[in-house]
Amino acid sequence: MTQKQILNFIDGQYVATQKHFAKHSPLDHSVIAQVHEAGKAEVDRAVAAARAALDGPWARMTVAERVERLYAVADGINRRFDEFLAAECADTGKPRSIASHIDIPRGAANFKIFADVIKNVPTEFFEMQTPDGRGAINYGYRGPVGVVGVICPWNLPLLLMTWKVGPALACGNTVVVKPSEETPQTAALLGEVMNEAGIPPGVYNVVHGFGPDSAGEFLTTHPHVDAITFTGETRTGEVIMKAAAKGARPVSMEMGGKNAAIVFADSDFDAAIEGTLRSAFVNSGQVCLGTERVYVERPLFERFVAELKRQIEGWKIGLPEDPDTKLGPLVSREHQQKVLSYYQLAAEEGATVVTGGGKPAMAGALADGAWVQPTIWTGLPETARVIKEEIFGPCCHIAPFDTEEEALRLANDNEYGLAAAIWTRDVARAHRVAQRMKVGISWVNSWFLRDLRTPFGGAKHSGIGREGGVHSLEFYTELKNVCIKL
């Protein structure tokens, strides 16, 4: 049987190249597709197509016409839901139960949500006096920032790509998307939906490849890319920021995290356990907002550790299509080796392994997949690398605390600042602690509860800028002033 080919999507057409790379299944490391790598010529062609569409048919559309087409894109994803679901699960290995609930429906919804935002958000209007007494008026006008380079991660490929592409297109921009080399399929498949929905050629383009000396570098250094939005690890973000400095191009960066949860003794115990299970282990811990550090008030500590251990040991590790599967593999064997290196490091640093700490025994060909055990540690000092560095796997360290001030000091003592979860029934404490967390988002008695109208982004090494609602418009548009003398 001919192997599946994943092509670039440029100017409304699928484009093959001579240079390919293999896409391996996370389940058993078998090759499931050949991905056509874009070289400099293909990236140049994609950017040129985006520039032509920006100045051509896309620019001539009214907001209402753009909104109508973006609604059609969302409907097109939902109409082909099973195709997107199969592609996402094949690339990531995640359980279908997760991808069908989160990745695909929310990925589609991003187009409608941001279409509604651009329809309804007002700008400024001011009247002013002039020396001749006739006056003048000033009003704000939002125009697209231009051609936007979109660099996407592999953990939530469709969702986090459309989180950027949705508002970019709603604001009248055109995009060139570089998906992760690990998860190319849904970005490529979306090209078909764009054509079906009547999105003009060149508005949405996809180039496949890697970072250095490949599509990623060619896109981020391209002089005709006007803005760059990125989600991924901090080191890559720093490289992209350096590239964007040439030409003083704006960037929006959502980068790494080493997120903390604080569990007070007065919390709803069952809710705190359920929330921490999800935040530490869902999607095999491959969530930028996930919890890797858990601080539990001392009277609750032993009970919390025991119950978290009991429940996670009941989560089934298995194939995506099994409805009972809670944990799939990691995205690749390369990432598996990274996570396992931290498991080994934790033991070397003196951690008590409460559960996990290695690879699960998988039968047959699955033994070659990127599987790791969900892991809980206790007993490490706060100076340990496992406490300080992002692992991005299904693991967490749990430590006790005695006072609110101590909990805040421990939780904030990290170079990252993306998210936090706070569990308490004390309303005053909830507000007090949440506002003192040095993060972009603090959840109280919840996790991953997202109103897309609210600002999203990180502090410290976790990112620059905010997206979501009107905050996305601040990045994806240039706000201009028009002054009219009366």
Side-chain angles (χ1 to χ4, degrees):
M1 187 173 70
T2 303
Q3 197 162 67
K4 186 172 186 179
Q5 305 292 304
I6 309 299
L7 306 182
N8 302 280
F9 184 76
I10 299 172
D11 203 17
Q13 297 182 334
Y14 284 95
V15 176
T17 61
Q18 294 300 310
K19 194 174 182 181
H20 308 161
F21 60 91
K23 165 57 193 169
H24 294 271
S25 168
L27 303 175
D28 59 10
H29 201 60
S30 61
V31 177
I32 58 174
Q34 291 292 327
V35 186
H36 289 238
E37 182 178 355
K40 191 173 186 306
E42 287 77 29
V43 173
D44 286 346
R45 181 177 165 189
V47 173
R51 175 68 57 191
L54 180 74
D55 298 331
W58 195 235
R60 291 192 291 271
M61 283 188 187
T62 65
V63 170
E65 289 170 332
R66 284 206 309 271
V67 165
E68 180 183 9
R69 282 163 174 76
L70 294 178
Y71 263 65
V73 171
D75 292 340
I77 294 172
N78 286 324
R79 189 165 52 249
R80 302 176 65 170
F81 191 96
D82 290 343
E83 289 178 72
F84 278 92
L85 180 62
E88 202 80 326
C89 291
D91 274 355
T92 63
K94 69 177 62 180
R96 290 174 67 92
S97 58
I98 294 175
S100 62
H101 176 65
I102 297 175
D103 298 64
I104 311 307
R106 291 197 193 182
N110 282 333
F111 287 102
K112 290 188 176 181
I113 287 164
F114 288 106
D116 288 340
V117 169
I118 199 67
K119 267 195 316 189
N120 296 308
V121 171
T123 55
E124 301 173 333
F125 176 86
F126 297 101
E127 296 180 75
M128 65 180 292
Q129 297 300 313
T130 57
D132 64 4
R134 294 182 179 181
I137 59 172
N138 291 270
Y139 66 88
Y141 170 77
R142 292 193 183 275
V145 71
V147 176
V148 179
V150 181
I151 313 296
C152 308
W154 47 255
N155 58 329
L156 296 160
L158 181 70
L159 172 58
L160 293 181
M161 183 263 287
T162 63
W163 167 252
K164 298 173 180 299
V165 170
L169 298 192
C171 293
N173 301 284
T174 57
V175 299
V176 180
V177 175
K178 207 296 279 183
S180 168
E181 61 274 15
E182 299 290 355
T183 53
Q185 293 196 60
T186 49
L189 179 58
L190 186 58
E192 293 183 18
V193 174
M194 292 285 178
N195 284 345
E196 293 165 358
I199 301 295
V203 171
Y204 174 81
N205 305 274
V206 179
V207 290
H208 298 297
F210 303 89
D213 197 31
S214 186
E217 180 180 337
F218 302 147
L219 180 60
T220 55
T221 58
H222 201 289
H224 295 147
V225 170
D226 300 299
I228 302 169
T229 179
F230 166 78
T231 297
E233 65 176 6
T234 299
R235 284 176 299 176
T236 305
E238 290 171 346
V239 171
I240 292 172
M241 285 181 67
K242 289 178 182 177
K246 189 169 184 178
R249 295 171 296 161
V251 295
S252 178
M253 299 277 175
E254 195 253 288
M255 300 191 287
K258 188 71 176 178
N259 309 303
I262 301 176
V263 183
F264 289 96
D266 68 350
S267 66
D268 180 327
F269 181 81
D270 291 338
I273 287 288
E274 189 274 338
T276 306
L277 274 170
R278 289 194 302 115
S279 68
F281 302 111
V282 78
N283 202 35
S284 296
Q286 299 168 124
V287 181
C288 55
L289 301 162
T291 300
E292 293 189 5
R293 299 179 294 138
V294 185
Y295 299 100
V296 182
E297 197 165 4
R298 197 173 298 276
L300 206 62
F301 177 73
E302 297 293 344
R303 181 185 170 204
F304 188 94
V305 172
E307 183 60 17
L308 201 71
K309 173 184 186 294
R310 185 188 73 80
Q311 292 206 28
I312 193 56
E313 288 178 350
W315 279 28
K316 182 176 180 179
I317 301 172
L319 297 173
E321 58 269 21
D322 185 341
D324 295 325
T325 292
K326 289 287 194 75
L327 289 166
L330 299 180
V331 74
S332 66
R333 288 211 301 206
E334 180 184 9
H335 189 54
Q336 178 196 40
Q337 290 308 308
K338 175 195 172 183
V339 172
L340 289 174
S341 73
Y342 276 102
Y343 284 13
Q344 181 179 345
L345 179 61
E348 293 169 357
E349 291 183 316
T352 298
V353 181
V354 176
T355 188
K359 294 192 293 186
M362 304 301 290
L366 297 181
D368 292 326
W371 308 90
V372 299
Q373 292 176 320
T375 298
I376 299 171
W377 303 291
T378 60
L380 284 174
E382 289 295 308
T383 54
R385 284 179 56 197
V386 168
I387 301 293
K388 296 297 185 187
E389 299 174 13
E390 182 181 37
I391 300 171
F392 218 62
C395 57
C396 65
H397 181 269
I398 311 176
F401 70 88
D402 294 299
T403 67
E404 181 180 310
E405 285 299 319
E406 180 188 11
L408 277 162
R409 177 178 56 78
L410 292 170
N412 281 328
D413 185 19
N414 196 271
E415 66 182 15
Y416 295 109
L418 188 54
I422 299 149
W423 301 90
T424 179
R425 285 189 171 103
D426 185 326
V427 175
R429 172 189 281 150
H431 286 285
R432 190 168 59 239
V433 173
Q435 292 175 21
R436 290 182 63 190
M437 291 302 300
K438 297 176 182 178
V439 296
I441 180 168
S442 291
W443 280 291
V444 177
N445 298 329
S446 64
W447 177 76
F448 210 68
L449 192 60
R450 286 282 295 121
D451 184 329
L452 298 187
R453 297 170 296 184
T454 62
F456 178 78
K460 298 188 280 188
H461 289 191
S462 288
I464 292 175
R466 294 293 181 266
E467 295 185 29
V470 297
H471 311 285
S472 287
L473 304 192
E474 291 166 3
F475 177 72
Y476 292 109
T477 64
E478 295 279 11
L479 183 58
K480 308 170 185 180
N481 184 69
V482 177
C483 178
I484 298 179
K485 177 72 167 60
L486 300 177

